[in-house]
Amino acid sequence: MALLDPLEDIQFAQTYLFSLDPKLNMMIDWFSSEYLRIREARSIPPILEDGRKIELMDLYLTVRKKGGNE
């Protein structure tokens, strides 16, 4: 939760994007393996078939700017 709270401030998250991005990826990897018990190998960040990475922090910030899950 200590990582997610600062992400509520979009300006803060954009300012510190490059330092927060690897931490978000590590948190998602931990959450998937420890909390969800997903044991198969997964690439974090996910990689598309053409080799491009899905930058999860960018995706998160875009969804937040557009109104979140609303």
Side-chain angles (χ1 to χ4, degrees), residues 6-51:
L7 297 182
E8 294 298 316
D9 181 353
I10 292 175
Q11 178 128 9
F12 176 86
Q14 288 175 326
T15 301
Y16 296 100
L17 177 68
F18 294 108
S19 63
L20 293 172
D21 186 54
K23 291 177 176 142
L24 179 66
N25 290 337
M26 287 184 345
M27 185 196 71
I28 292 170
D29 187 42
W30 170 85
F31 183 81
S32 296
S33 65
E34 297 299 319
Y35 187 78
L36 298 177
R37 305 267 187 227
I38 297 173
R39 299 295 182 208
E40 68 245 16
R42 291 179 177 231
S43 174
I44 303 290
I47 299 175
L48 299 173
E49 290 178 4
D50 63 5

Side-chain angles (χ1 to χ4, degrees), residues 63-64 66-70:
V63 170
R64 292 268 308 146
K66 301 281 182 178
N69 61 352
E70 295 174 7

